[in-house]
Amino acid sequence: MHILIIGAAGMIGRKLSRALAAAGTVNGRPIRRMTLADIIVPEALDFGGDIETVATDLSRPGAASALIASRPDLIFHFAAIVSGEAEADFEKGYSVNLDGTRALFEAIRLAGLERPYTPRVVFTSSIVVFGEPLPPVISDTHCVTPLTSYGTQKAICELLLADYSRRGIFDGIGIRLPTISIRPGKPNKAASGFFSSILREPLIGEEAVLPVSENVRHWFASPRAATGFLLHAAEIDTGSLGQLRTITMPGLSATVGDQIEALRRVAGDAATQLIRREPNETIANIISGWPQGFDARRAEALGFRAETSFEEIIRVHIEDELESRLPERA
């Protein structure tokens, strides 16, 4: 099997690459080759088969065709401009998130005209395809009504994924990721970044800024769960999906206050005292139209799993990123 990961230099991309290299197989098929692509050269990793790292921009002419020329069997596509940046830079968001994805899908279609080629495509979408008016708990059949450019771009790509799959061009599955927390490393430009920073920074003794009210409620899963979603999506029988090719992933509905209280239980008062309240109207306005909770029974029936408490999410971060060292309590 040859696997292509587009977005391999990002946090989830790195974790997925390592998980696949460690597993060595997908659905019992040995992984013989991996191609890791991103806007910058992804980091190398230990792998028994052939590995190639590529710096490329899918939105540029010919870039997608070059990646597809080797006809990978399994393609993970989650390279994207994140929510805050897509809102701030309209042209860049549409170029990367929509034009790049369409170029990839078209490259697969054109390759199949030469000789039969139907790879599995795992595409990461986002819960921000949903916008107001929203019920407190969103069902699998709720209509998408995005209120941001990022959400709109992802919603369009979901429709393209379904149509190209319906036409038999590829075997696509889309997974709508919850907001991923706690993201390791440096903050990115996502409007949701504070959901991680208010936990990540205090856990290592650093101050964090909270730009919204503690009453804000949202839908979360850990990076470990997100990696599990992708691996599972690569292996499930897509025949059970029908025409609804994109699925909302399981997660945890929690308020910012719930996050802070979980941090207190795990790391003590000293950690929570490092959170500085600094209201930001721009971020608050973006977040206000995002969903708060989901009924993810379809994904759960298909075998997708996530955490059930924020304490669990925090402890996953400590295990995976802090070498299992619990922070000192006050």
Side-chain angles (χ1 to χ4, degrees), residues 78-104:
F78 40 85
I81 297 300
V82 293
S83 53
E85 189 173 3
E87 199 67 13
D89 192 331
F90 185 83
E91 291 185 2
K92 186 176 182 181
Y94 272 90
S95 175
V96 173
N97 296 342
L98 177 56
D99 298 343
T101 301
R102 174 77 194 285
L104 173 67

mmCIF file of all heavy atoms in Angstrom, residues 78-104:
data_model
loop_
_atom_site.group_PDB
_atom_site.id
_atom_site.type_symbol
_atom_site.label_atom_id
_atom_site.label_comp_id
_atom_site.label_asym_id
_atom_site.label_seq_id
_atom_site.Cartn_x
_atom_site.Cartn_y
_atom_site.Cartn_z
ATOM 1 N N PHE A 78 -5.859 16.900 4.816
ATOM 2 C CA PHE A 78 -6.308 17.860 5.820
ATOM 3 C C PHE A 78 -5.470 19.123 5.848
ATOM 4 O O PHE A 78 -5.494 19.888 6.815
ATOM 5 C CB PHE A 78 -6.379 17.226 7.221
ATOM 6 C CG PHE A 78 -5.267 16.300 7.576
ATOM 7 C CD1 PHE A 78 -4.077 16.780 8.096
ATOM 8 C CD2 PHE A 78 -5.412 14.944 7.390
ATOM 9 C CE1 PHE A 78 -3.060 15.915 8.449
ATOM 10 C CE2 PHE A 78 -4.388 14.070 7.734
ATOM 11 C CZ PHE A 78 -3.223 14.546 8.258
ATOM 12 N N ALA A 79 -4.762 19.385 4.744
ATOM 13 C CA ALA A 79 -4.053 20.666 4.644
ATOM 14 C C ALA A 79 -5.088 21.779 4.497
ATOM 15 O O ALA A 79 -5.991 21.690 3.668
ATOM 16 C CB ALA A 79 -3.125 20.651 3.427
ATOM 17 N N ALA A 80 -4.983 22.832 5.309
ATOM 18 C CA ALA A 80 -5.980 23.900 5.272
ATOM 19 C C ALA A 80 -5.453 25.167 5.934
ATOM 20 O O ALA A 80 -4.558 25.116 6.775
ATOM 21 C CB ALA A 80 -7.269 23.459 5.978
ATOM 22 N N ILE A 81 -6.045 26.278 5.528
ATOM 23 C CA ILE A 81 -5.882 27.538 6.251
ATOM 24 C C ILE A 81 -6.935 27.544 7.341
ATOM 25 O O ILE A 81 -8.126 27.353 7.059
ATOM 26 C CB ILE A 81 -6.079 28.743 5.305
ATOM 27 C CG1 ILE A 81 -5.007 28.745 4.224
ATOM 28 C CG2 ILE A 81 -6.043 30.052 6.094
ATOM 29 C CD1 ILE A 81 -3.594 28.833 4.725
ATOM 30 N N VAL A 82 -6.553 27.744 8.580
ATOM 31 C CA VAL A 82 -7.484 27.602 9.703
ATOM 32 C C VAL A 82 -8.439 28.784 9.801
ATOM 33 O O VAL A 82 -8.315 29.778 9.092
ATOM 34 C CB VAL A 82 -6.719 27.400 11.027
ATOM 35 C CG1 VAL A 82 -6.004 26.057 11.014
ATOM 36 C CG2 VAL A 82 -5.726 28.532 11.262
ATOM 37 N N SER A 83 -9.410 28.653 10.711
ATOM 38 C CA SER A 83 -10.576 29.534 10.757
ATOM 39 C C SER A 83 -10.256 31.019 10.837
ATOM 40 O O SER A 83 -10.754 31.822 10.039
ATOM 41 C CB SER A 83 -11.464 29.139 11.935
ATOM 42 O OG SER A 83 -10.719 29.090 13.141
ATOM 43 N N GLY A 84 -9.415 31.404 11.810
ATOM 44 C CA GLY A 84 -9.116 32.823 11.980
ATOM 45 C C GLY A 84 -8.414 33.405 10.777
ATOM 46 O O GLY A 84 -8.716 34.518 10.322
ATOM 47 N N GLU A 85 -7.459 32.657 10.214
ATOM 48 C CA GLU A 85 -6.709 33.141 9.056
ATOM 49 C C GLU A 85 -7.589 33.179 7.817
ATOM 50 O O GLU A 85 -7.489 34.098 6.992
ATOM 51 C CB GLU A 85 -5.492 32.256 8.819
ATOM 52 C CG GLU A 85 -4.538 32.803 7.768
ATOM 53 C CD GLU A 85 -3.254 32.005 7.665
ATOM 54 O OE1 GLU A 85 -3.118 30.983 8.367
ATOM 55 O OE2 GLU A 85 -2.386 32.414 6.865
ATOM 56 N N ALA A 86 -8.468 32.181 7.642
ATOM 57 C CA ALA A 86 -9.368 32.169 6.486
ATOM 58 C C ALA A 86 -10.347 33.331 6.541
ATOM 59 O O ALA A 86 -10.760 33.866 5.504
ATOM 60 C CB ALA A 86 -10.127 30.847 6.434
ATOM 61 N N GLU A 87 -10.716 33.748 7.734
ATOM 62 C CA GLU A 87 -11.630 34.886 7.879
ATOM 63 C C GLU A 87 -10.905 36.197 7.604
ATOM 64 O O GLU A 87 -11.462 37.124 7.018
ATOM 65 C CB GLU A 87 -12.234 34.887 9.284
ATOM 66 C CG GLU A 87 -13.510 35.697 9.431
ATOM 67 C CD GLU A 87 -14.684 35.117 8.661
ATOM 68 O OE1 GLU A 87 -14.637 33.968 8.196
ATOM 69 O OE2 GLU A 87 -15.681 35.852 8.520
ATOM 70 N N ALA A 88 -9.645 36.256 8.007
ATOM 71 C CA ALA A 88 -8.869 37.488 7.828
ATOM 72 C C ALA A 88 -8.370 37.660 6.399
ATOM 73 O O ALA A 88 -8.211 38.787 5.918
ATOM 74 C CB ALA A 88 -7.678 37.489 8.789
ATOM 75 N N ASP A 89 -8.108 36.541 5.697
ATOM 76 C CA ASP A 89 -7.571 36.597 4.335
ATOM 77 C C ASP A 89 -8.492 35.801 3.421
ATOM 78 O O ASP A 89 -8.315 34.599 3.220
ATOM 79 C CB ASP A 89 -6.148 36.029 4.302
ATOM 80 C CG ASP A 89 -5.418 36.326 2.993
ATOM 81 O OD1 ASP A 89 -6.097 36.452 1.962
ATOM 82 O OD2 ASP A 89 -4.179 36.413 3.015
ATOM 83 N N PHE A 90 -9.483 36.466 2.873
ATOM 84 C CA PHE A 90 -10.533 35.834 2.073
ATOM 85 C C PHE A 90 -9.957 35.049 0.893
ATOM 86 O O PHE A 90 -10.280 33.882 0.676
ATOM 87 C CB PHE A 90 -11.485 36.919 1.566
ATOM 88 C CG PHE A 90 -12.680 36.405 0.816
ATOM 89 C CD1 PHE A 90 -13.807 35.965 1.489
ATOM 90 C CD2 PHE A 90 -12.693 36.389 -0.575
ATOM 91 C CE1 PHE A 90 -14.921 35.511 0.799
ATOM 92 C CE2 PHE A 90 -13.786 35.924 -1.276
ATOM 93 C CZ PHE A 90 -14.914 35.487 -0.584
ATOM 94 N N GLU A 91 -9.074 35.678 0.131
ATOM 95 C CA GLU A 91 -8.532 35.039 -1.072
ATOM 96 C C GLU A 91 -7.693 33.814 -0.734
ATOM 97 O O GLU A 91 -7.802 32.766 -1.388
ATOM 98 C CB GLU A 91 -7.694 36.043 -1.870
ATOM 99 C CG GLU A 91 -8.531 37.145 -2.506
ATOM 100 C CD GLU A 91 -7.694 38.062 -3.383
ATOM 101 O OE1 GLU A 91 -6.472 37.810 -3.512
ATOM 102 O OE2 GLU A 91 -8.257 39.013 -3.930
ATOM 103 N N LYS A 92 -6.856 33.928 0.286
ATOM 104 C CA LYS A 92 -5.996 32.811 0.669
ATOM 105 C C LYS A 92 -6.822 31.628 1.146
ATOM 106 O O LYS A 92 -6.537 30.467 0.811
ATOM 107 C CB LYS A 92 -5.018 33.255 1.755
ATOM 108 C CG LYS A 92 -3.981 32.202 2.116
ATOM 109 C CD LYS A 92 -2.996 32.753 3.139
ATOM 110 C CE LYS A 92 -1.916 31.730 3.485
ATOM 111 N NZ LYS A 92 -0.959 32.264 4.498
ATOM 112 N N GLY A 93 -7.859 31.903 1.938
ATOM 113 C CA GLY A 93 -8.710 30.833 2.444
ATOM 114 C C GLY A 93 -9.350 30.044 1.322
ATOM 115 O O GLY A 93 -9.340 28.805 1.318
ATOM 116 N N TYR A 94 -9.923 30.748 0.332
ATOM 117 C CA TYR A 94 -10.569 30.051 -0.781
ATOM 118 C C TYR A 94 -9.552 29.358 -1.676
ATOM 119 O O TYR A 94 -9.802 28.267 -2.200
ATOM 120 C CB TYR A 94 -11.443 31.013 -1.579
ATOM 121 C CG TYR A 94 -12.840 31.089 -1.018
ATOM 122 C CD1 TYR A 94 -13.172 32.027 -0.038
ATOM 123 C CD2 TYR A 94 -13.820 30.187 -1.414
ATOM 124 C CE1 TYR A 94 -14.435 32.073 0.508
ATOM 125 C CE2 TYR A 94 -15.097 30.221 -0.866
ATOM 126 C CZ TYR A 94 -15.406 31.169 0.091
ATOM 127 O OH TYR A 94 -16.659 31.192 0.654
ATOM 128 N N SER A 95 -8.395 29.964 -1.848
ATOM 129 C CA SER A 95 -7.366 29.355 -2.693
ATOM 130 C C SER A 95 -6.895 28.028 -2.117
ATOM 131 O O SER A 95 -6.821 27.010 -2.824
ATOM 132 C CB SER A 95 -6.177 30.315 -2.842
ATOM 133 O OG SER A 95 -5.129 29.705 -3.552
ATOM 134 N N VAL A 96 -6.581 28.007 -0.821
ATOM 135 C CA VAL A 96 -6.039 26.800 -0.199
ATOM 136 C C VAL A 96 -7.142 25.790 0.118
ATOM 137 O O VAL A 96 -7.061 24.610 -0.250
ATOM 138 C CB VAL A 96 -5.251 27.150 1.074
ATOM 139 C CG1 VAL A 96 -4.823 25.886 1.814
ATOM 140 C CG2 VAL A 96 -4.041 28.004 0.721
ATOM 141 N N ASN A 97 -8.189 26.257 0.805
ATOM 142 C CA ASN A 97 -9.194 25.327 1.319
ATOM 143 C C ASN A 97 -10.138 24.783 0.256
ATOM 144 O O ASN A 97 -10.565 23.632 0.336
ATOM 145 C CB ASN A 97 -10.013 25.998 2.422
ATOM 146 C CG ASN A 97 -9.178 26.356 3.631
ATOM 147 O OD1 ASN A 97 -8.088 25.831 3.818
ATOM 148 N ND2 ASN A 97 -9.672 27.272 4.453
ATOM 149 N N LEU A 98 -10.467 25.598 -0.738
ATOM 150 C CA LEU A 98 -11.379 25.138 -1.786
ATOM 151 C C LEU A 98 -10.643 24.775 -3.071
ATOM 152 O O LEU A 98 -10.740 23.638 -3.551
ATOM 153 C CB LEU A 98 -12.444 26.196 -2.074
ATOM 154 C CG LEU A 98 -13.407 25.849 -3.215
ATOM 155 C CD1 LEU A 98 -14.108 24.517 -2.969
ATOM 156 C CD2 LEU A 98 -14.427 26.967 -3.408
ATOM 157 N N ASP A 99 -9.879 25.711 -3.626
ATOM 158 C CA ASP A 99 -9.225 25.451 -4.907
ATOM 159 C C ASP A 99 -8.235 24.298 -4.822
ATOM 160 O O ASP A 99 -8.154 23.463 -5.729
ATOM 161 C CB ASP A 99 -8.504 26.707 -5.413
ATOM 162 C CG ASP A 99 -9.465 27.866 -5.670
ATOM 163 O OD1 ASP A 99 -10.679 27.600 -5.775
ATOM 164 O OD2 ASP A 99 -8.998 29.017 -5.751
ATOM 165 N N GLY A 100 -7.490 24.220 -3.715
ATOM 166 C CA GLY A 100 -6.535 23.133 -3.549
ATOM 167 C C GLY A 100 -7.225 21.784 -3.464
ATOM 168 O O GLY A 100 -6.773 20.797 -4.061
ATOM 169 N N THR A 101 -8.333 21.723 -2.733
ATOM 170 C CA THR A 101 -9.080 20.469 -2.609
ATOM 171 C C THR A 101 -9.682 20.062 -3.944
ATOM 172 O O THR A 101 -9.605 18.887 -4.349
ATOM 173 C CB THR A 101 -10.182 20.606 -1.543
ATOM 174 O OG1 THR A 101 -9.577 20.943 -0.289
ATOM 175 C CG2 THR A 101 -10.973 19.320 -1.392
ATOM 176 N N ARG A 102 -10.270 21.009 -4.656
ATOM 177 C CA ARG A 102 -10.845 20.691 -5.980
ATOM 178 C C ARG A 102 -9.750 20.224 -6.933
ATOM 179 O O ARG A 102 -9.956 19.281 -7.719
ATOM 180 C CB ARG A 102 -11.540 21.937 -6.538
ATOM 181 C CG ARG A 102 -12.047 21.779 -7.974
ATOM 182 C CD ARG A 102 -13.326 20.970 -8.039
ATOM 183 N NE ARG A 102 -13.629 20.530 -9.404
ATOM 184 C CZ ARG A 102 -14.106 21.307 -10.373
ATOM 185 N NH1 ARG A 102 -14.325 22.599 -10.149
ATOM 186 N NH2 ARG A 102 -14.375 20.805 -11.560
ATOM 187 N N ALA A 103 -8.572 20.830 -6.875
ATOM 188 C CA ALA A 103 -7.463 20.410 -7.741
ATOM 189 C C ALA A 103 -7.068 18.968 -7.436
ATOM 190 O O ALA A 103 -6.781 18.185 -8.358
ATOM 191 C CB ALA A 103 -6.274 21.342 -7.551
ATOM 192 N N LEU A 104 -7.054 18.596 -6.160
ATOM 193 C CA LEU A 104 -6.736 17.220 -5.787
ATOM 194 C C LEU A 104 -7.782 16.256 -6.349
ATOM 195 O O LEU A 104 -7.430 15.223 -6.945
ATOM 196 C CB LEU A 104 -6.674 17.101 -4.261
ATOM 197 C CG LEU A 104 -6.510 15.678 -3.713
ATOM 198 C CD1 LEU A 104 -5.147 15.108 -4.081
ATOM 199 C CD2 LEU A 104 -6.716 15.667 -2.198
#
